[in-house]
Amino acid sequence: MMRALIGPGIVVAIFGLIFLLAGLEDFRKTHRSWLFRPLDILPAAAGLGFLAMMFAVAGGAVYPPIVSTVAEPIVCPGGLDTLSRDYSYRPGQQGVTRNLLCVGEDGEPRDVTVPAIAVATLIYTAAGLLFSALRSMLRRRRISSADPERRDHDVVEN
């Protein structure tokens, strides 16, 4: 049942984020307090979160270590195993399903694919936000330290 709701849940989440971002833009225009400055990061976090989720889901389907190496210390410190199963339901067609399994203390393997993808998505989103913030700080520093002649060099006079 849970797997059947993942696709529609993603679509609802995307539309919800679109409406949230539109409402946030109106809210930011009317409320200019310093208390709401952290909300400025929300659009970037939403976009990077979506890209990180696509990277974790699609990349993890093709190459499972993209998810397992990042999520293993949090989801299953004992180690994750990848179970790949080939299937075919008509001639000429084939596919592969991949599941990430964690062996519990009782020795029974349990499927942790969805939590591993969620953790990898959060980690990749945080890494993207950190990279974006560092790039932004370096850009501001470079612009502020540039000499005035160089900044005005690109201005065309009529």
Side-chain angles (χ1 to χ4, degrees), residues 9-74:
I10 291 172
V11 171
V12 167
I14 290 171
F15 280 112
L17 280 174
I18 290 170
F19 286 115
L20 177 71
L21 292 176
L24 176 66
E25 193 63 33
D26 291 338
F27 180 80
R28 286 177 56 216
K29 287 178 184 174
T30 58
H31 298 83
R32 299 230 177 241
S33 172
W34 63 271
L35 289 172
F36 299 114
R37 288 285 177 205
L39 294 177
D40 290 344
I41 201 169
L42 192 60
L48 287 171
F50 179 74
L51 291 175
M53 183 184 64
M54 291 295 108
F55 182 70
V57 170
V62 174
Y63 186 64
I66 287 175
V67 173
S68 63
T69 55
V70 173
E72 183 176 330
I74 297 170

Side-chain angles (χ1 to χ4, degrees), residues 107-132:
E108 281 294 313
R110 58 184 166 83
D111 187 8
V112 292
T113 305
V114 174
I117 288 173
V119 167
T121 298
L122 290 173
I123 290 172
Y124 289 140
T125 301
L129 287 171
L130 179 66
F131 174 76
S132 178

Side-chain angles (χ1 to χ4, degrees), residues 64-109:
I66 287 175
V67 173
S68 63
T69 55
V70 173
E72 183 176 330
I74 297 170
V75 175
C76 186
L80 288 173
D81 291 327
T82 304
L83 174 65
S84 297
R85 286 182 264 176
D86 297 329
Y87 66 90
S88 176
Y89 54 87
R90 67 173 187 226
Q93 182 276 331
Q94 68 181 21
V96 178
T97 62
R98 300 191 197 273
N99 292 40
L100 296 174
L101 302 174
C102 178
V103 178
E105 293 176 6
D106 59 353
E108 281 294 313

Side-chain angles (χ1 to χ4, degrees), residues 102-157:
C102 178
V103 178
E105 293 176 6
D106 59 353
E108 281 294 313
R110 58 184 166 83
D111 187 8
V112 292
T113 305
V114 174
I117 288 173
V119 167
T121 298
L122 290 173
I123 290 172
Y124 289 140
T125 301
L129 287 171
L130 179 66
F131 174 76
S132 178
L134 288 174
R135 192 187 77 188
S136 189
M137 286 188 319
L138 288 174
R139 183 180 293 161
R140 273 193 221 120
R141 185 174 182 191
R142 188 180 65 207
I143 289 172
S144 68
S145 66
D147 58 344
E149 286 182 21
R150 187 168 183 189
R151 271 188 275 168
D152 296 336
H153 184 291
D154 295 332
V155 176
V156 178
E157 295 181 15

